[in-house]
């Protein structure tokens, strides 16, 4: 194997390694996952009982009632 | 509380498009993206009907099933939301959705459509409630303010109902009884042929 060929292989291996290193969550700035059908992002804030009560109350307007 | 649902009363919708305008204004939706639109059948003919259509927040949502990067999730109230940070703009959700709800800011090929946008039931997204990031990506979070989606709240004929599915069905049932004919629901005669209009 001549010297040029070794240099090309080494350069290719280096490029591959650096490419794979760029596949982390922090570097992509987003959650990464290979498992299917599961949401891996941040979870939503849950609505409190008070918020749900207000929403139910506002449904009365749609039924023809008043606020 | 039951799942959050939309229901459009085809007997009441007058195709004013105010729900479309209200949605665009409330969430500052960009040009080319329509989270809600009004569809009219038999336009200008006897039997003309209009319904307001957006994401129906399906219980078993096909968009969730086909998404290759799992951007979709459901809240405790059954609202189907998505995470724009994860979206790759493949457009599979658009092809899977029977209502044409997913929208893209650019009309181009795979991966260059931009991040998918759709109706959020005015529930924002996974970002912190009331944050600038949430508003810029998903629009206003009215549910967290204790309010219902604006499209339904401002509907002048109260054709578009939104909220707790149990309450929505109760309101609609009372209307059907008061009318005294069929259901008035779009597609009723096709689903239940021979049982009245």
């Amino acid at each position: 194997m001549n010297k040029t060929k070794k240099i090309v292989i080494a350069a290719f291996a280096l490029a591959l390694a650096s490419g794979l290193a760029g596949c982390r969550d922090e570097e992509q700035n987003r959650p990464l996952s290979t498992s299917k059908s599961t949401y891996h992002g941040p979870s939503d804030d849950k609505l409190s009982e008070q918020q749900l009560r207000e929403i139910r109350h506002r449904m009365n307007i749609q039924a023809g009632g008043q606020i | 509380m039951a799942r959050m649902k939309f229901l459009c009363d085809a007997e009441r919708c007058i195709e004013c498009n105010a729900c479309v305008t209200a949605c665009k204004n409330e969430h500052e939706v960009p040009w080319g993206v329509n989270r809600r639109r009004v569809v009219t059948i038999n336009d200008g003919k006897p039997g003309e009907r209009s319904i307001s259509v957006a994401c129906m927040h399906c219980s078993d949502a096909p968009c969730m099933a086909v998404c290759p990067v799992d951007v979709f999730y459901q809240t405790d109230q059954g609202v189907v939301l998505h995470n724009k940070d994860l979206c790759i703009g493949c457009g599979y959700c658009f092809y899977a959705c029977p209502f044409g709800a997913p929208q893209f800011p650019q009309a181009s090929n795979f991966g260059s459509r931009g991040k998918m946008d759709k109706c959020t039931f005015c529930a924002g997204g996974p970002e912190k409630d009331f944050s600038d990031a949430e508003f810029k990506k998903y629009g206003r979070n009215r549910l967290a303010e204790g309010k219902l989606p604006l499209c339904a709240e401002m509907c002048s004929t109260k054709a578009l109902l939104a909220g707790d599915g149990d309450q929505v069905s109760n309101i609609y049932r009372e209307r059907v009884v008061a009318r005294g004919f069929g259901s008035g629901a779009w597609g009723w005669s096709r689903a239940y042929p021979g049982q009245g209009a």
Side-chain angles (χ1 to χ4, degrees):
Chain A
M1 192 183 289
N2 60 33
K3 194 177 177 184
T4 315
K5 204 170 181 181
K6 281 181 183 173
I7 291 170
V8 169
I9 291 170
F12 180 75
L14 196 65
L16 189 68
S18 60
L20 287 174
C23 292
R24 288 183 302 202
D25 291 23
E26 314 85 65
E27 286 156 339
Q28 294 279 314
N29 198 27
R30 65 193 175 102
L32 297 174
S33 171
T34 51
S35 58
K36 186 78 187 88
S37 299
T38 315
Y39 173 71
H40 291 283
S43 59
D44 209 356
D45 295 331
K46 291 187 188 309
L47 295 178
S48 66
E49 197 48 49
Q50 171 66 21
Q51 288 167 318
L52 292 174
R53 209 167 22 249
E54 286 175 25
I55 289 168
R56 276 191 214 103
H57 179 65
R58 287 177 86 95
M59 285 289 295
N60 295 333
I61 306 164
Q62 294 188 80
Q66 302 294 316
I67 297 178
Chain B
M1 180 178 252
R3 296 174 62 90
M4 292 287 188
K5 286 293 170 193
F6 280 122
L7 193 149
C8 185
D9 188 344
E11 288 293 318
R12 286 187 174 221
C13 182
I14 56 171
E15 199 193 350
C16 68
N17 277 285
C19 50
V20 178
T21 310
C23 176
K24 284 196 80 98
N25 186 58
E26 180 78 344
H27 302 298
E28 297 183 12
V29 180
W31 284 102
V33 173
N34 282 308
R35 291 184 178 183
R36 175 169 288 285
R37 63 200 177 282
V38 176
V39 176
T40 302
I41 55 169
N42 296 329
D43 200 2
K45 297 173 188 166
E48 177 182 325
R49 290 286 184 280
S50 296
I51 50 165
S52 179
V53 185
C55 172
M56 299 301 278
H57 301 277
C58 308
S59 305
D60 185 10
C63 54
M64 291 180 82
V66 300
C67 181
V69 286
D70 300 315
V71 306
F72 295 96
Y73 63 98
Q74 288 188 327
T75 67
D76 292 347
Q77 285 72 44
V79 179
V80 177
L81 296 177
H82 70 295
N83 186 336
K84 285 194 177 182
D85 293 340
L86 302 176
C87 181
I88 57 172
C90 67
Y92 288 5
C93 51
F94 176 74
Y95 297 121
C97 178
F99 305 103
Q103 301 276 300
F104 293 88
Q106 288 112 40
S108 50
N109 295 327
F110 184 95
S112 52
R113 294 182 173 96
K115 306 285 186 185
M116 188 273 279
D117 192 275
K118 74 170 193 71
C119 163
T120 62
F121 208 89
C122 289
E127 309 286 347
K128 188 171 169 46
D129 284 353
F130 309 124
S131 64
D132 281 348
E134 183 184 53
F135 181 73
K136 279 177 186 159
K137 288 179 191 170
Y138 309 100
R140 203 170 299 282
N141 191 341
R142 288 174 59 86
L143 285 196
E145 294 172 12
K147 298 172 183 172
L148 289 164
L150 187 65
C151 52
E153 286 213 327
M154 52 64 57
C155 180
S156 58
T157 60
K158 295 188 173 67
L160 186 59
L161 302 172
D164 183 345
D166 287 342
Q167 284 179 282
V168 167
S169 66
N170 283 340
I171 293 169
Y172 193 66
R173 193 178 300 114
E174 283 174 17
R175 286 183 187 179
V176 170
V177 171
R179 279 179 201 147
F181 66 92
S183 79
W186 181 71
W188 174 270
S189 56
R190 173 164 292 196
Y192 305 102
Q195 294 186 27

